[in-house]
Amino acid sequence: MVVVGAGAAGSAAAAALVQVLPQLEVVVTGREDRLPYNRTTVNKGLLTGAVDDQDVVLPGLRGLAVTWQLGQPARSVDAAARIVELASGSSIAADAVVLATGADPCPLPAAIEPAAASRVLEMRTASDSFRLLEALRHGAGHILLADAGLLGAETAGSLRALGVNVTLVDPADRPLSTHLGATAASWVQDQHVRAGVDLRTGTAVVAVETAGGGVAVTLDDGSMMRADAVVASLGVTPAIDWLRDSGISLSNGVPVGSGMRVLDHPGIYAAGDLAAVPGPGGILLRTEHWGVALTQGRTAAASVLADLGLADASDGAASAEPPGYSMYVHGTKLTIVGWTHDAIDEAVVHGAVGEQRFTMALVDRQGRISAAVGVGGARVANRLRGLIARRGEIGEIGQVLEKTA
């Protein structure tokens, strides 16, 4: 067995395989030269110093009976023959291949002076976090974050907790509204302002040049500001370039069906940020979050074992459960359950906006519940999982919450 990618999905798949059948020969290849770690700490615990790089290694991996080929990214795969070629030139043939290379950070779409490039950073890996920490240790006191999405919002909170001045720039008038709905997104904006973040919405970075010991950043509204460094927090794109000649159909990632099986390619599976899973209405959706990647990796492993006759088959429906994840904004936890892509309306279903805790339900065009967002608490949002899974109506919420109380 070959698992391509040593992140959350890949490590979960590998662990699940050898835990069921310890005698299996499982090879895990990974781009980073380190054991899989909790990537959610990159812009939080690692950045603030609450944990170090040894603390974040995933538990149970050091003694796991797999062959790690770390620092060995894959260059291509022959999906028909199930042969993976590594960047080193070596090849690995397998009975099954799990694709779990995750996603790559989106580059900053701006004119960057070559001399300023070293001060334009990313925030995706532990190494990225260490580079920013190094800049802070050398006196960087003002960081400009380009994009106020999930990554930018959380990173702003971590930097402010360290006493760093933060400018947060986003082209949207209300960042995060596609992830949280308008009400929760507005709440996030208020938290940024209260925390002392210089929030610039409706504009984007168009140029970065050297200026003294830092950079001069030009926005598309014509304004210019100085900063010590720029962090591109524009989200990610699925890491699928290496699959272009594989014969696998690529559409918003790698399309999968039941059990994370890659469509039309027996013996090939995909999990994590690159996996496009059928959502409501059959629309292929990717969920870029740690917990979802872990679940998908385990599901892919179960399918591998079942397809090879090494374990009983399971249902493994890729879209059976609504996705769920959390984020932290200036110390407050937000929990998102369900599919927010087709929501057009929302309603407060618990608490009140402005209180320490409240929960929003997001509604699609048919008046059905597509997602829930819990601010300050996850309990109510999680209790609506069943209703979200079957796309119940908003009028059912009271009854559901009463029954699950």
Side-chain angles (χ1 to χ4, degrees):
M1 317 291 175
V2 175
V3 178
V4 186
S11 60
L17 287 168
V18 297
Q19 284 166 2
V20 174
L21 288 176
Q23 69 271 27
L24 279 179
E25 183 180 349
V26 178
V27 177
V28 183
T29 73
R31 182 188 307 176
E32 294 184 75
D33 190 16
R34 62 173 69 230
L35 281 172
Y37 57 93
N38 187 341
R39 198 182 294 274
T40 67
T41 63
V42 165
N43 68 329
K44 296 189 282 291
L46 275 180
L47 186 57
T48 62
V51 296
D52 63 29
D53 59 344
Q54 293 303 308
D55 295 331
V56 300
V57 174
L58 294 179
L61 295 187
R62 287 189 171 91
L64 200 64
V66 305
T67 299
W68 298 103
Q69 294 202 12
L70 303 176
Q72 293 286 329
R75 183 162 61 192
S76 64
V77 63
D78 182 333
R82 296 190 290 278
I83 298 175
V84 176
E85 182 180 359
L86 303 182
S88 64
S90 62
S91 297
I92 310 171
D95 296 313
V97 178
V98 178
L99 310 176
T101 46
D104 295 322
C106 296
L108 183 66
I112 302 172
E113 181 186 358
S118 63
R119 290 183 176 270
V120 179
L121 311 177
E122 296 175 342
M123 186 55 62
R124 178 68 177 169
T125 67
S127 296
D128 295 332
S129 185
F130 298 148
R131 276 191 286 272
L132 179 53
L133 277 171
E134 187 67 14
L136 298 179
R137 280 194 286 266
H138 283 81
H142 181 193
I143 303 298
L144 185 144
L145 296 170
D147 200 83
L150 298 172
L151 179 62
E154 286 194 323
T155 305
S158 297
L159 290 172
R160 288 300 298 139
L162 293 172
V164 177
N165 293 322
V166 174
T167 298
L168 186 56
V169 176
D170 197 284
D173 291 327
R174 187 186 289 119
L176 281 173
S177 58
T178 57
H179 293 279
L180 306 177
T183 300
S186 294
W187 178 89
V188 170
Q189 285 185 273
D190 290 342
Q191 300 310 300
H192 286 318
V193 174
R194 290 178 184 177
V197 173
D198 178 11
L199 181 62
R200 310 284 186 98
T201 59
T203 188
V205 175
V206 293
V208 183
E209 302 172 303
T210 55
V215 291
V217 181
T218 303
L219 306 183
D220 65 6
D221 62 6
S223 62
M224 180 180 289
M225 65 190 66
R226 295 280 294 271
D228 294 306
V230 174
V231 175
S233 52
L234 296 98
V236 296
T237 184
I240 56 176
D241 283 348
W242 69 285
L243 295 170
R244 297 294 179 190
D245 298 323
S246 65
I248 296 172
S249 173
L250 303 175
S251 176
N252 185 32
V254 178
V256 299
S258 175
M260 310 308 295
R261 296 172 176 91
V262 174
L263 301 179
D264 303 320
H265 289 280
I268 307 292
Y269 310 80
D273 289 355
L274 60 60
V277 178
I283 298 174
L284 293 174
L285 301 171
R286 294 187 306 105
T287 302
E288 300 160 358
H289 201 273
W290 181 259
V292 175
L294 292 173
T295 299
Q296 291 182 353
R298 296 177 188 124
T299 299
S303 296
V304 169
L305 296 171
D307 293 348
L308 294 176
L310 301 175
D312 293 335
S314 59
D315 179 15
S319 58
E321 285 292 324
Y325 60 93
S326 61
M327 64 178 295
Y328 289 83
V329 177
H330 301 288
T332 298
K333 181 179 180 179
L334 281 75
T335 301
I336 301 92
V337 177
W339 300 274
T340 62
H341 68 283
D342 59 351
I344 64 164
D345 201 0
E346 59 183 352
V348 180
V349 297
H350 183 263
V353 179
E355 292 183 353
Q356 187 175 5
R357 300 182 179 211
F358 65 93
T359 302
M360 305 296 302
L362 277 58
V363 183
D364 66 15
R365 292 184 182 278
Q366 286 74 43
R368 303 171 303 180
I369 307 300
S370 61
V373 178
V375 176
R379 184 173 58 91
V380 174
N382 283 324
R383 284 163 61 190
L384 295 176
R385 277 185 176 275
L387 187 63
I388 293 167
R390 62 180 177 83
R391 289 283 175 129
E393 297 183 356
I394 196 164
E396 300 178 62
I397 288 179
Q399 185 178 8
V400 169
L401 293 181
E402 183 178 339
K403 285 183 178 180
T404 58

